Amino acid sequence: MAGRDGAASDFDRLVAFSREQLQAHARERFRDGGGTQPSVTRVVAGEAEAVFKDYADSAWLMRWFAPLFVYREASALERLAGIEGIPRVYRRVDGLGILIEYLPAPKWSRSQPTPAAHDRLEKLLADVHARGVAHGDLRGSGNILLRADGQPCLVDFVARVHRGRPWNRPWNAVFRAFCQADRNALAKLKLRWAPELATAEECRRAEHRGWPARIARAVGVGVRRLVRLLVRQPDR
Ligand SMILES: Nc1ncnc2c1ncn2[C@@H]1O[C@H](COP(=O)(O)OP(=O)(O)OP(=O)(O)O)[C@@H](O)[C@H]1O
Ligand SMILES: [Mg+2]
């Protein structure tokens, strides 16, 4: 009981930390911040841990847009709350950062996914879509993790697209196209990691990039170019 109380108070302490305290408790760096990128860090306080994704070290232009990115990610994770394999949101930090649940799971590309893991990943994606969220950035596979017990996990919902109101048919057509792009990305993943499992339909879908993926890529490249043009040196 004392152990559980200790863990709870560690958690309360961690969630209330300032940016400086979070940085001081950094244990593992998943990615360094700077330019167009946020820093992504595992922070630990006693028995509690979390992931802190923070745009404070990014170029000024990205810091300007950071509240929008943080809002996009947090609102998607809030919609998906309770789904196994999706991190919980603990807190937004000054509009520039977000503190979320740490998922002890290596990247899919560094794991040995079994056929059952592919099925569970498809089920997870279907649950995410059913809640009205298309991920929008699964093509590179870096946002797919796999826990040792075989549970797939999804992170990085900045590029997400939410389903619109029932009357908003044009937007819902966009939403459906992004859901299809997510499924195509999983077909590509299966073809790469378990080609023997892929059906003819999945082989066809794996090749099909679709306009959502092309737009997402063009936006990413455009933003990086713009930031490089306007921000010669990431001002820290
Ligand atoms: N909640 C989490 N639990 C465990 N690891 C995480 C979590 N969130 C992120 N990571 C790790 O940090 C990496 C980068 O996080 P994220 O994808 O959110 O940031 P990013 O800036 O988009 O990075 P990238 O451009 O590499 O996708 C992930 O690929 C994953 O390995
Ligand atoms: Mg990512």
Side-chain angles (χ1 to χ4, degrees):
M1 192 65 191
R4 195 176 303 165
D5 287 349
S9 74
D10 286 341
F11 178 75
D12 292 345
R13 211 157 52 87
L14 176 69
V15 170
F17 275 168
S18 64
R19 164 168 291 106
E20 290 67 32
Q21 288 171 314
L22 286 166
Q23 273 156 5
H25 286 75
R27 205 40 94 64
E28 185 182 356
R29 197 70 135 171
F30 293 116
R31 103 161 3 264
D32 287 324
T36 56
Q37 306 293 347
S39 60
V40 183
T41 317
R42 181 165 70 97
V43 288
V44 177
E47 291 181 47
E49 54 191 351
V51 166
F52 183 37
K53 184 166 179 178
D54 189 20
Y55 292 85
D57 290 335
S58 311
W60 62 265
L61 190 62
M62 292 308 280
R63 288 205 304 274
W64 205 71
F65 282 109
L68 175 66
F69 300 145
V70 167
Y71 162 76
R72 288 179 60 76
E73 181 138 34
S75 55
L77 295 178
E78 279 155 10
R79 266 195 191 203
L80 300 173
I83 298 183
E84 183 82 15
I86 304 293
R88 280 191 299 146
V89 188
Y90 295 148
R91 199 183 126 214
R92 303 181 200 189
V93 182
D94 306 337
L96 291 180
I98 179 172
L99 193 65
I100 60 177
E101 180 184 6
Y102 168 66
L103 302 169
K107 283 190 181 85
W108 188 271
S109 56
R110 295 205 201 119
S111 315
Q112 264 102 42
T114 59
H118 282 275
D119 291 345
R120 288 177 79 173
L121 179 58
E122 279 159 23
K123 164 85 173 60
L124 173 60
L125 186 66
D127 290 347
V128 166
H129 289 169
R131 288 267 184 108
V133 181
H135 187 285
D137 189 14
L138 294 179
R139 199 108 189 142
S141 94
N143 297 326
I144 307 173
L145 316 180
L146 184 59
R147 242 170 34 196
D149 66 359
Q151 171 66 50
C153 307
L154 298 178
V155 296
D156 192 3
F157 282 80
V158 175
R160 59 62 172 176
V161 171
H162 281 174
R163 184 190 286 131
R165 305 264 164 154
W167 50 263
N168 197 343
R169 285 165 172 239
W171 186 254
N172 285 325
V174 170
F175 171 70
R176 283 195 302 275
F178 273 82
C179 290
Q180 188 58 55
D182 284 351
R183 287 191 292 270
N184 293 352
L186 291 205
K188 187 181 162 208
L189 193 77
K190 194 185 261 182
L191 206 60
R192 168 134 193 240
W193 295 96
E196 69 287 358
L197 299 178
T199 61
E201 168 64 12
E202 282 168 333
C203 294
R204 191 190 62 74
R205 280 200 274 118
E207 295 308 318
H208 188 71
R209 223 190 165 107
W211 62 263
R214 282 201 294 269
I215 287 182
R217 193 178 143 72
V219 169
V221 170
V223 167
R224 276 193 293 279
R225 281 204 190 128
L226 185 68
V227 169
R228 253 182 251 129
L229 194 73
L230 295 177
V231 186
R232 295 232 176 85
Q233 294 232 308
D235 74 51
R236 283 165 189 253

